[in-house]
Amino acid sequence: DMQRGSIPPDGVTYNATISACAQTWRWETVLELFKEFGARHLQPSLATHNAALFACSGSDLWVHMLELLSGMKAQGFRADA
């Protein structure tokens, strides 16, 4: 849990953690962190969205992927693949 550390989590720490979890297919953790990201009023970057989409791509998680794509569109990002 990032909140127990001495340094408060920011966009950089969330992006790094989300990317690391995505690479190990920990999609549940990625989605949880993605929600925390927004709850802290941080703006997910295109890299954040891509990592979350990647984490969900290996499973039958199309509902989550659609939600992520919708969030990207709302923030002005354009899906390119």
Side-chain angles (χ1 to χ4, degrees):
D1 186 336
M2 287 193 292
Q3 297 174 12
R4 286 188 240 161
S6 60
I7 300 172
D10 61 8
V12 174
T13 54
Y14 271 99
N15 277 335
T17 306
I18 287 171
S19 292
C21 290
Q23 291 175 7
T24 57
W25 303 104
R26 295 177 60 193
W27 63 268
E28 291 171 318
T29 303
V30 168
L31 294 177
E32 182 180 313
L33 289 168
F34 199 87
K35 287 179 186 175
E36 283 182 26
F37 202 113
R40 290 186 166 274
H41 305 290
L42 299 169
Q43 291 289 1
S45 67
L46 183 58
T48 313
H49 281 93
N50 284 338
L53 286 166
F54 177 77
C56 293
S57 68
S59 301
D60 189 23
L61 302 169
W62 59 271
V63 172
H64 296 295
M65 292 180 78
L66 289 176
E67 290 172 359
L68 290 165
L69 288 168
S70 177
M72 285 177 70
K73 185 176 179 181
Q75 286 187 291
F77 293 118
R78 188 174 65 93
D80 58 3

